[in-house]
Amino acid sequence: MKQDCSNKRECLEMLQLILDGEATAEQKEHFLKEHLEECMPCYKNYHLEVAIRQLLKTKCCHEAPQQLVDDIKTKVIQNLSRS
């Protein structure tokens, strides 16, 4: 399994599309079944994003405020850029 992803930004964007339900079936299939099997950083990011979203759902009475979601995404992207 790769320890570094050469397409961090594109993978993060694809991850967001998948989790937001906006990715095509083919995109989702490729990313989840092929890319995550080979790329440890993306595997970790996927599970982190799922955990964050689940936490927000359980802690917030309603949808998470969009500003909070945007702030979290920005911080995740900044952290990925530093890796």
Side-chain angles (χ1 to χ4, degrees), residues 6-23:
S6 58
N7 299 312
K8 290 177 189 172
R9 181 157 311 266
E10 293 86 3
C11 288
L12 184 59
E13 289 172 5
M14 180 56 62
L15 174 65
Q16 297 300 320
L17 288 174
I18 290 169
L19 294 175
D20 290 342
E22 298 173 0

Side-chain angles (χ1 to χ4, degrees), residues 1-2 11 18 25-40 42-43:
M1 187 174 265
K2 295 187 308 183
C11 288
I18 290 169
E26 294 82 20
Q27 289 172 318
K28 186 175 178 179
E29 173 88 15
H30 173 74
F31 190 81
L32 295 178
K33 299 227 175 162
E34 294 179 29
H35 185 73
L36 288 187
E37 293 288 323
E38 301 171 357
C39 185
M40 181 59 77
C42 290
Y43 177 86

Side-chain angles (χ1 to χ4, degrees), residues 27-70:
Q27 289 172 318
K28 186 175 178 179
E29 173 88 15
H30 173 74
F31 190 81
L32 295 178
K33 299 227 175 162
E34 294 179 29
H35 185 73
L36 288 187
E37 293 288 323
E38 301 171 357
C39 185
M40 181 59 77
C42 290
Y43 177 86
K44 288 180 180 179
N45 287 335
Y46 172 78
H47 290 286
L48 175 63
E49 184 72 24
V50 168
I52 289 170
R53 287 173 183 239
Q54 186 61 39
L55 178 65
L56 288 173
K57 283 181 186 177
T58 60
K59 297 297 181 186
C60 295
C61 299
H62 306 287
E63 292 281 325
Q66 189 60 45
Q67 184 62 43
L68 175 60
V69 172
D70 293 341

Side-chain angles (χ1 to χ4, degrees), residues 67-80:
Q67 184 62 43
L68 175 60
V69 172
D70 293 341
D71 289 346
I72 292 171
K73 286 180 182 180
T74 299
K75 289 180 181 179
V76 168
I77 290 170
Q78 288 171 346
N79 286 336
L80 287 174

